[in-house]
Amino acid sequence: MKTNVNLRLYNSFGFDTIAKQFAEINQTSDLQTLIQSGALQKHKTLILSGGNNVLFQKDVFDGLVVYINTKGIEILLEDGNEIIVRAQAGVDWPDFVRFCVDKGWHGIENLAHIPGKVGAAPVQNIGAYGMELKDSFLRCEAMDLTTGETKVFTKKDCRFGYRESVFKNELKGQYVIISVEFLLKKNALLNLEYGNIKAYLEQNGIENPTLQQLHDSICAIRDAKLPDVKQIGSAGSFFKNPVIERTQFEALQKEYPTMPHYDEPNGKVKVPAGWLIEHSGPSTGSGTASWKGWRNEHVGVYEKQALVLVHYGGGKGQDIVELAQRIQDSVEAKFGIKISPEVNFV
Ligand code: EPU
């Protein structure tokens, strides 16, 4: 165990928070040993994976950070059209997607290039371009942080929802995911329906994309919209897209006919938070300024995607907390919609 470790390289916002205690887990058995030593009972504990979805609000984390860095991918079954593949929690997610695409396996290609690690992916049921992790998730193994025992969670056990799972809710802080199994297909239709995928393919003269071409296109689409966290700190989408009642949507649509929206199965309507943020702004005399591209010395709203809050360097987590609150307040004042963060505040 190390003491006083700067977490700058362990959180994609790039904030300089100091962890009082820090343990790196390279094998599952290391974690079990750590749990059984009682260290997790002694200290406030934070399980850290890629650190791509956390916001450190303070300069010091007065507790123990457990950094999961286990590696390994195994093929458990190859049967006709079906593949079952298991990845350890610390495997880099974009590398895992690339590995599967290289093999010609379908199921996670639209989740290409999402920064993070395999073990964190089920926690918030990562999603992008019309696909969610749950679509190809089979089961995962997780370790009980009190006893060190492992337990298998089926898809049903995980209670996946939009950026939600049991690990963020009922079982928060009780388990750490140690490996995930996916059910992939050798032959499957590609999902090209979401947003600008078709437009991108057309612009690039790709008519019937291969799995590889779709993967590469999604990487390019993401690169064009989202900051590279190696250069500008961020945690991807900062807020969830809110779901509102249809009556409220219809009233808003009269006033804002261009407001994009997606129908939800339950009759409600999902509205992109990025649009709401772009169409509201910091209160200035004229009231016409947009948040999109707004910045102060240290933090701001990304100029190409208003859902992404960014840290340009030299700032503190508190700067993002304050900016997020101002944005939430102005979106609510203008549209009467409450937006909530998808990022975990620590
Ligand atoms: N929009 C704006 N202004 C903006 C941003 C978006 O008007 O500044 C509008 C777009 O024009 C579009 C709509 O909002 O009509 C949706 O935008 P986009 O396709 O960029 O997706 P999003 O809803 O903003 C979600 C996910 C992303 C994921 C993309 C692509 C959430 C919270 N975010 O963003 O996930 O990559 O779809 O599938 O659901 C993440 O979770 O970290 C993340 C990046």
Side-chain angles (χ1 to χ4, degrees), residues 124 127-130 162-163 194 222 225-226 235-237 239-241 260 262 272 274-275 278-279 292 304-307 342:
Q124 61 153 345
Y129 303 103
Y162 168 59
R163 298 294 191 278
Y194 185 92
R222 289 189 76 92
K225 270 201 177 174
L226 299 166
S237 295
F239 299 100
K240 289 197 263 195
N241 288 329
Y262 316 103
W275 189 92
E278 178 170 345
H279 292 84
K292 196 170 184 172
K304 296 180 194 156
Q305 169 44 301
L307 196 50
E342 72 143 334

Side-chain angles (χ1 to χ4, degrees), residues 157-197:
D157 296 334
C158 293
R159 303 213 203 154
F160 290 123
Y162 168 59
R163 298 294 191 278
E164 294 291 352
S165 78
V166 75
F167 301 106
K168 264 181 95 168
N169 295 295
E170 296 90 324
L171 297 182
K172 192 171 178 181
Q174 292 183 44
Y175 283 91
V176 55
I177 294 173
I178 55 180
S179 67
V180 185
E181 287 176 33
F182 296 86
L183 178 61
L184 304 176
K185 301 261 160 52
K186 285 189 191 162
N187 294 301
L189 291 176
L190 299 178
N191 178 351
L192 310 176
E193 292 311 311
Y194 185 92
N196 45 3
I197 296 181

